[in-house]
Amino acid sequence: MKKYFDILRNCPLFDGIDGDDLSAMLGCLGATVRRYEKKEVIFAEGDSAQYIGIVLSGTVQVVRVDYFGNRTIVTSIAPTELFGETFACAEVKSIPVDVVASEDCEVLLIDCRRIVTSCSNACAFHLQMVYNLMRVVARKNLLFHQKIEITSARTTREKLITYLLLEAKKRGSAQFEIPYDRQELADYLEVERSGLSAEIGKLRREGFLKAERNRFTILGLNENQKPIITR
């Protein structure tokens, strides 16, 4: 477990907690490490909403599949980030989405009840962890509203531009990589891949962006970092 300590120290769930306490803390929480292969399901829709996951290596995706089989990527989770915490904290009976390994990965699983319920040892870190968990859930709520902002745009073009500009702002750079290939980006934006590819091609020709696989460069910004092309 110690080989993961550098990652866990940067995990928001352990913010403000002495690194020297990590080993005892993880033992108290009954944390376990699991390894998953690419495309393997970590949590399946209908599973008990009991565990919180922390990505240690690789990436995972939260995926929703509707009645007609349409697949939507809700979000991508990178190392040090959590998943499943909202459902576990809400005490819903079952998870309404799938969590899938988008590449080979390692995940730390913690029973949420072990965090929010003080143990018999009255460990001092429990209160800090509860506060950290509340903050993570609040931040995820903000990201959820950002996703709504993106997918509520009327056209594929508007969804794509909104997403790319938000990513550029988040990274503080006009050059950035996204965690999705073309099909995954289409699933995230909730659009058809063919229409997405067509819009990327149009924006290239209009001089708004450069795009190579998952690497984008936004060119169509004025001196105030506002998009020149918004139609």
Side-chain angles (χ1 to χ4, degrees), residues 32-193:
T32 58
V33 175
R34 302 274 181 88
R35 293 172 176 80
Y36 298 90
E37 296 181 356
K38 183 177 181 179
K39 296 185 178 181
E40 189 174 355
V41 175
I42 300 170
F43 294 161
E45 181 179 355
D47 283 353
S48 173
Q50 178 180 348
Y51 292 96
I52 292 174
I54 301 172
V55 178
L56 301 173
S57 67
T59 57
V60 306
Q61 293 175 347
V62 179
V63 177
R64 184 177 69 248
V65 180
D66 66 18
Y67 178 81
F68 301 101
N70 297 311
R71 180 176 181 267
T72 299
I73 295 176
V74 179
T75 189
S76 180
I77 312 295
T80 75
E81 297 178 344
L82 282 69
F83 60 89
E85 74 289 337
T86 301
F87 307 122
C89 289
E91 296 184 339
V92 298
K93 290 184 178 180
S94 60
I95 297 173
V97 295
D98 294 327
V99 180
V100 183
S102 53
E103 57 184 330
D104 292 352
C105 65
E106 296 171 296
V107 169
L108 184 77
L109 296 177
I110 301 173
D111 189 329
C112 185
R113 294 171 299 185
R114 301 284 288 269
I115 297 176
V116 299
T117 304
S118 295
C119 67
S120 58
N121 296 326
C123 300
F125 57 76
H126 268 107
L127 184 59
Q128 181 65 41
M129 289 191 72
V130 170
Y131 170 76
N132 291 344
L133 187 57
M134 290 176 60
R135 189 166 55 180
V136 169
V137 171
R139 288 176 177 173
K140 288 288 184 72
N141 190 47
L142 293 176
L143 292 176
F144 173 73
H145 285 286
Q146 185 180 93
K147 177 72 183 294
I148 292 176
E149 178 185 353
I150 294 168
T151 57
S152 61
R154 293 186 177 183
T155 66
T156 297
R157 181 189 186 91
E158 291 172 351
K159 290 179 180 182
L160 175 61
I161 290 176
T162 301
Y163 171 71
L164 293 177
L165 291 176
L166 286 171
E167 285 295 302
K169 182 178 180 180
K170 181 171 70 175
R171 311 298 178 85
S173 172
Q175 292 183 309
F176 54 88
E177 292 185 0
I178 64 172
Y180 307 120
D181 61 25
R182 285 289 187 272
Q183 183 59 60
E184 291 171 338
L185 179 57
D187 291 341
Y188 179 81
L189 298 177
E190 301 181 20
V191 299
E192 293 294 332
R193 177 176 176 173

Side-chain angles (χ1 to χ4, degrees), residues 155-165 176 182 185 189 195-211 216-221 227-231:
T155 66
T156 297
R157 181 189 186 91
E158 291 172 351
K159 290 179 180 182
L160 175 61
I161 290 176
T162 301
Y163 171 71
L164 293 177
L165 291 176
F176 54 88
R182 285 289 187 272
L185 179 57
L189 298 177
L196 173 65
S197 296
E199 291 300 338
I200 290 175
K202 289 178 184 178
L203 291 170
R204 277 197 188 113
R205 292 191 295 272
E206 293 168 5
F208 182 78
L209 60 76
K210 290 182 179 179
F216 289 81
T217 303
I218 305 297
L219 304 173
L221 297 177
I228 297 172
I229 302 172
T230 58
R231 65 181 183 276

